[in-house]
Amino acid sequence: MPDTLLLQDLDRAHVWHPYAAMPGRDAPLLVESASGVRLRLARPVEGHDELIDAMSSWWAAIHGYGHAVLDAAVRDQVGRMSHVMFGGLTHEPAIRLATRLVEITPEPLEHVFLTDSGSVSVEVAIKMCLQYWRSRGRTGKTRLLTWRGGYHGDTFQPMSVCDPDGGMHALWAGVLPRQVFADAPPTGFAADPDPAYCAHLADLVERHAHEVAAVIVEPVVQNAGGMRFLSPGYLRVLRELCDRHEVLLVFDEIATGFGRTGALFAAGHAGVAPDVMCVGKAMTGGYLSMAAALCTGEVARGIGRGDFPVLAHGPTYMGNPLAAAVAGASIDLLLGQPWEAEVARVGTGLRTGLAPAREVPGVRDVRVLGAIGVVQLDHPVDGPAAARAAARHGVWIRPFRDLVYTMPPYVIGDDDLSTVCAALVAAAEAG
């Protein structure tokens, strides 16, 4: 039996956790195992040995934990080979995964660059766009355009297109490349696009088209930037503007892909396709880190016509067979069942269960889209207090900014979903 206190002391001394100080100030919960939608703890918290994971491990574990199909995919692949370099070599899991991604993403995306993580896929997408214009002799097109309120990852080019003021990346002002920012888009998934905001986008794209290589946005949902739901109509506006002014369009679907918003990819709500699309998180069902940047044939051919005709990127673990095998199995598992109905069921449960939060003092908004439930406060949330309140209900959440939210696994049962909703209401009251 592991010495829990010793492990926690070692963790505090040596393990640097995300968005945390070093040495650690708050002791993270020590997880012994995970199964279904539950995390089993080494030590009880608020009287519970297990917590329902309302976060899907940062939105990735859509099938829950220990799924027999995904476990089998990993076991089978590790018996064949766990890794082989992708430079000059290839293998069936990566080939089948790339083919499957092309089949299920919007046309005309047809080429797939596999990466280690979501942030790196955004790096690659940006590099594709910059190199495309450089190969065409348009060397002045070196900037990116996006709207405020977004989040695209924590490596340097992705940080440069995150919200420069409202996000944590303000720390890097003066270091990051200076990009072009539109105002934050109006919220409301069901709302019609605001004509004044559309004119604002049109003005920015037109004025900066000579220097902008691409527009990059999270389609429909701005996730870590504030869980803001947007009209799909803005994606159609951006597609038309980019086509008119010779600017590439990039959709970051790392968080929204694979059904989370109720469409397989959020671009489907708008019926448009980008020139480059990033996917990740749920692609492997939360088993291993892998993401991808897909592009059109035009982007690939444009790069190939340049003086340096290859994409200048090559991660050591690119196309990892274990990750590719479990990603393929996760996608087949998702599409082999009535996933739309399951996501709709989760959404219905969230709407019903979170409705009481509207009466909690200090709650500004309650909103649901697909399998995303958000309670927004009118003040910064007391994260530890809110998390403790949820834990008393047997639920794990990670509030941030002014938000208490959930993105549960799609396999969560109705009773557990009701418990998650009650926990979020309690967290809002405590936060």
Side-chain angles (χ1 to χ4, degrees):
M1 177 70 69
D3 185 326
T4 300
L5 291 177
L6 174 61
L7 286 175
Q8 289 181 322
D9 286 343
L10 292 171
D11 181 278
R12 183 176 184 275
H14 303 301
V15 181
W16 207 326
H17 286 268
Y19 313 119
M22 188 74 233
R25 297 170 184 167
D26 300 314
L29 304 183
L30 182 58
V31 179
E32 278 190 341
S33 62
S35 178
V37 299
R38 283 175 164 74
L39 308 174
R40 182 163 186 81
L41 305 177
R43 297 180 68 189
V45 59
E46 301 293 338
H48 293 276
D49 294 318
E50 294 182 336
L51 298 179
I52 299 169
D53 181 9
M55 311 307 294
S56 299
S57 276
W58 263 335
W59 328 333
I62 57 175
H63 307 295
Y65 300 97
H67 197 289
V69 170
L70 304 188
D71 286 357
V74 174
R75 283 196 301 267
D76 179 67
Q77 184 57 44
V78 80
R80 299 170 186 268
M81 59 178 171
S82 59
H83 183 62
V84 63
M85 67 183 290
F86 214 49
L89 302 173
T90 193
H91 48 80
E92 183 178 356
I95 295 168
R96 293 198 179 280
L97 172 61
T99 303
R100 192 71 161 126
L101 288 172
V102 169
E103 290 171 347
I104 66 175
T105 52
E107 294 184 359
L109 298 169
E110 57 179 296
H111 303 298
V112 181
F113 194 97
L114 298 171
T115 71
D116 306 47
S117 69
S119 183
V120 176
S121 77
V122 176
E123 293 275 2
V124 169
I126 292 171
K127 187 176 287 186
M128 284 178 174
C129 296
L130 296 175
Q131 195 172 342
Y132 170 81
W133 292 113
R134 187 169 294 262
S135 296
R136 290 190 54 184
R138 305 281 296 276
T139 56
K141 292 171 78 69
T142 60
R143 300 181 73 188
L144 304 166
L145 189 151
T146 188
W147 46 38
R148 292 178 180 270
Y151 173 84
H152 299 278
D154 291 343
T155 50
F156 267 74
Q157 280 285 8
M159 281 199 298
S160 76
V161 286
C162 297
D163 193 300
D165 296 321
M168 58 194 161
H169 301 118
L171 171 67
W172 300 106
V175 178
L176 296 172
R178 293 180 64 252
Q179 312 295 10
V180 181
F181 285 89
D183 296 340
T187 57
F189 175 78
D192 291 330
D194 177 66
Y197 186 75
C198 293
H200 170 60
L201 289 176
D203 174 64
L204 275 183
V205 174
E206 181 177 3
R207 284 195 291 116
H208 293 279
H210 67 284
E211 60 177 344
V212 165
V215 171
I216 178 169
V217 296
E218 298 163 282
V220 174
V221 180
Q222 292 182 306
N223 293 275
M227 294 296 168
R228 304 171 78 248
F229 302 162
L230 314 177
S231 168
Y234 292 121
L235 304 181
R236 292 189 286 269
V237 170
L238 288 176
R239 179 71 278 175
E240 192 276 330
L241 289 172
C242 288
D243 288 342
R244 188 194 315 165
H245 296 289
E246 293 189 286
V247 174
L248 297 176
L249 180 60
V250 181
F251 286 168
D252 176 352
E253 294 249 16
I254 293 164
T256 54
F258 304 102
R260 180 58 70 178
T261 69
L264 187 57
F265 296 98
H269 290 295
V272 298
D275 301 295
V276 182
M277 175 185 282
C278 299
V279 296
K281 287 194 180 291
M283 186 169 75
T284 69
Y287 270 60
L288 289 162
S289 180
M290 177 176 266
L294 293 87
C295 73
T296 64
E298 169 57 28
V299 171
R301 287 190 298 271
I303 292 171
R305 289 193 292 263
D307 293 335
F308 193 80
V310 300
L311 183 62
H313 205 91
T316 299
Y317 285 93
M318 180 179 177
N320 174 259
L322 280 176
V326 77
S330 178
I331 293 170
D332 288 346
L333 180 62
L334 176 67
L335 299 184
Q337 58 187 319
W339 66 267
E340 297 102 326
E342 284 301 280
V343 170
R345 175 187 63 82
V346 173
T348 298
L350 291 173
R351 287 185 183 87
T352 300
L354 294 180
R358 298 183 186 279
E359 307 304 318
V360 174
V363 168
R364 190 172 82 184
D365 188 34
V366 177
R367 52 188 180 271
V368 174
L369 179 65
I372 307 170
V374 181
V375 179
Q376 186 171 12
L377 309 182
D378 61 9
H379 58 275
V381 64
D382 182 338
R388 286 194 300 271
R392 286 193 285 273
H393 284 72
V395 175
W396 165 247
I397 61 171
R398 187 176 168 90
F400 75 106
R401 293 173 58 164
D402 57 351
L403 303 169
V404 178
Y405 77 100
T406 178
M407 288 193 185
Y410 303 163
V411 296
I412 191 169
D414 291 340
D415 289 344
D416 284 344
L417 188 58
S418 295
T419 301
V420 166
C421 291
L424 258 68
V425 174
E429 292 172 332

